Amino acid sequence: MSQVPHSSAAPRHAIVIGGSLSGLFIGNLLRRAGWHVDIFERSAHTLDSRGGGIVLQPDVEEVFHRCGIDLTESQLGVRSQYRNVFNPDGSTHSHHYAPQVQTSWSLLYSTLRRAFGDVGYHQGATLARVSQDDAAGTVTVHFADGSVRSAHLLIGADGGNSTVRAQFWPNARPVYAGYLAWRGLVPEAELPASARQHLQGDLSFANNYGSHILGYLVPGPGNDLRPGHRLFNWVWYRTADPAQLAAIMTDREGRRRGHSIPEGWLDARWLAHLRTEAQALLPPAFRDLVEVTRDPFAQEIRDLACDHYVAGRAVILGDAAAIPRPHTAASTLKAAANALALADALTQFPQDLQLALAAWEPAQVALGKALQRRGIDTGNYLMFQHGAAGRLA
């Protein structure tokens, strides 16, 4: 067992479970604050996602700034100028000036991962359980391979299916929202003419019964921000009952994938179904975009907002603690906000961990619940204002 330093001159030690964005936010921040940090990631492979577009939020930029990552907005993402909403027939419902910057999971992750470095970042480490010793002032993590590590603080940043959360709050489970997100990425150079004319350079939306789609440009492969080398990211929310969801989440080899289907693993019948539905429900520009997407992927939409984030010397943050619906554009923002506030509290009360955690927790719980309410209200309005119409057949 590794020993926790006892000298007051030695740095405090934090173990972070989860090496994606949430874990790298807090890992980098605590390193800058003088902590010794070890991050343990379950995956043995390099985390990779062409995936996802993310709206660049001030809290994320603040994490980068505090970690000494001095990148401008133009280096972090792609700026859109207008917000457009289209009717199903392709006519314009609304058009207004609303500039913002969209980035990608890949760009944020790779930048934070480089900043943290390889020392202290451990892969292929699956958490089995956590134990705590109040007298010694330690928390100990037990891994599936039998290895054990101890620290002053454990941070569960292990996502929506958090093992840390499951141990301390087993009844706090994400709940299916009644719809999923189909997602796709199309190289900018391959955009259909209709999408190039009506969607490129803006943040665009379209609504229909049980259907809500949006799209925007994000950095391309290798975080390429050059015009013509970027990707167009689209997200299409569609209602699905639990049986349909289970079928969609079963991949092309017949394996149940849990709550998401990665690129390249969608069963062929759902790819055909997706394109058929696009013809029926989407305006021409989005319809053509879906048609040319090579490997759509899918994600179940879930709700979670925990009542507690602290259990002794163990805490949870990011999606492990609360999962706001994507309509809030706040999942990454909340993870960054949780991490910033935790780093601040630990700096404010350097000699009293329990006081720091007690000061940190209430506002973060309130933020998670507020985002949950906002996401539910927005999602239900977009998806269910017309009742059950438009469900997948």
Side-chain angles (χ1 to χ4, degrees), residues 40-61:
F40 292 89
E41 166 55 40
R42 179 172 57 183
S43 175
H45 307 288
T46 300
L47 298 183
D48 180 38
S49 172
R50 292 176 69 216
I54 295 171
V55 175
L56 185 63
Q57 302 281 12
D59 293 87
V60 175
E61 294 184 86

Side-chain angles (χ1 to χ4, degrees), residues 186-226:
V186 178
E188 186 177 13
E190 299 176 15
L191 286 177
S194 57
R196 192 178 301 278
Q197 178 180 355
H198 297 289
L199 305 178
Q200 190 177 22
D202 293 328
L203 180 60
S204 299
F205 304 84
N207 300 317
N208 207 326
Y209 295 135
S211 166
H212 175 70
I213 192 168
L214 68 152
Y216 47 84
L217 284 168
V218 298
N223 302 323
D224 200 332
L225 291 163
R226 293 175 298 163

Side-chain angles (χ1 to χ4, degrees), residues 207-211 378-389:
N207 300 317
N208 207 326
Y209 295 135
S211 166
T378 303
N380 288 348
Y381 173 77
L382 291 170
M383 302 302 299
F384 302 115
Q385 61 180 319
H386 298 292

Side-chain angles (χ1 to χ4, degrees), residues 31-345:
R31 275 249 184 105
R32 297 286 288 193
W35 283 66
H36 174 70
V37 180
D38 281 293
I39 295 176
F40 292 89
E41 166 55 40
R42 179 172 57 183
S43 175
H45 307 288
T46 300
L47 298 183
D48 180 38
S49 172
R50 292 176 69 216
I54 295 171
V55 175
L56 185 63
Q57 302 281 12
D59 293 87
V60 175
E61 294 184 86
E62 177 64 16
V63 171
F64 276 45
H65 173 71
R66 290 200 197 181
C67 294
I69 303 170
D70 295 321
L71 298 177
T72 64
E73 283 190 347
S74 64
Q75 295 172 302
L76 286 171
V78 181
R79 178 171 290 275
S80 61
Q81 296 299 324
Y82 291 89
R83 285 196 168 208
N84 302 316
V85 178
F86 295 99
N87 296 313
D89 64 2
S91 60
T92 300
H93 177 78
S94 65
H95 171 80
H96 66 275
Y97 184 66
Q100 66 180 47
V101 175
Q102 290 79 226
T103 186
S104 67
W105 184 95
S106 295
L107 190 151
L108 296 183
Y109 169 79
S110 61
T111 304
L112 290 164
R113 182 71 181 80
R114 283 195 302 272
F116 191 83
D118 292 333
V119 176
Y121 192 97
H122 314 274
Q123 294 188 254
T126 300
L127 176 67
R129 65 184 179 89
V130 178
S131 60
Q132 302 195 54
D133 186 332
D134 293 338
T138 61
V139 57
T140 299
V141 294
H142 304 257
F143 293 100
D145 65 0
S147 62
V148 176
R149 296 288 294 268
S150 296
H152 299 101
L153 174 65
L154 169 69
I155 301 168
D158 47 345
N161 300 319
S162 170
T163 303
V164 178
R165 185 188 69 238
Q167 174 173 333
F168 292 104
W169 301 281
N171 294 323
R173 300 187 185 97
V175 176
Y176 177 47
Y179 57 100
L180 74 155
W182 296 106
R183 307 193 68 158
L185 291 156
V186 178
E188 186 177 13
E190 299 176 15
L191 286 177
S194 57
R196 192 178 301 278
Q197 178 180 355
H198 297 289
L199 305 178
Q200 190 177 22
D202 293 328
L203 180 60
S204 299
F205 304 84
N207 300 317
N208 207 326
Y209 295 135
S211 166
H212 175 70
I213 192 168
L214 68 152
Y216 47 84
L217 284 168
V218 298
N223 302 323
D224 200 332
L225 291 163
R226 293 175 298 163
H229 297 263
R230 301 168 295 189
L231 294 167
F232 195 92
N233 171 80
W234 60 265
V235 186
W236 184 13
Y237 301 102
R238 283 290 285 127
T239 50
D241 64 36
Q244 293 163 333
L245 179 72
I248 293 167
M249 294 298 161
T250 301
D251 71 22
R252 67 187 185 190
E253 295 185 351
R255 291 178 296 176
R256 184 70 163 87
R257 282 281 184 159
H259 306 286
S260 64
I261 288 284
E263 285 179 291
W265 286 98
L266 184 66
D267 188 87
R269 74 177 175 119
W270 291 111
L271 177 58
H273 184 87
L274 185 64
R275 290 172 174 168
T276 298
E277 287 224 314
Q279 293 294 321
L281 294 170
L282 300 180
F286 276 117
R287 184 172 64 213
D288 295 346
L289 196 64
V290 172
E291 181 68 30
V292 302
T293 302
R294 295 170 191 160
D295 291 308
F297 47 112
Q299 176 186 7
E300 177 184 342
I301 303 303
R302 300 188 289 169
D303 294 313
L304 174 71
C306 291
D307 295 326
H308 304 284
Y309 289 12
V310 177
R313 290 176 171 269
V315 308
I316 53 175
L317 50 68
D319 282 354
I323 305 174
R325 295 194 192 179
H327 320 292
T328 63
S331 179
T332 305
L333 173 151
K334 184 184 65 60
N338 293 162
L340 287 164
L342 180 57
D344 286 345

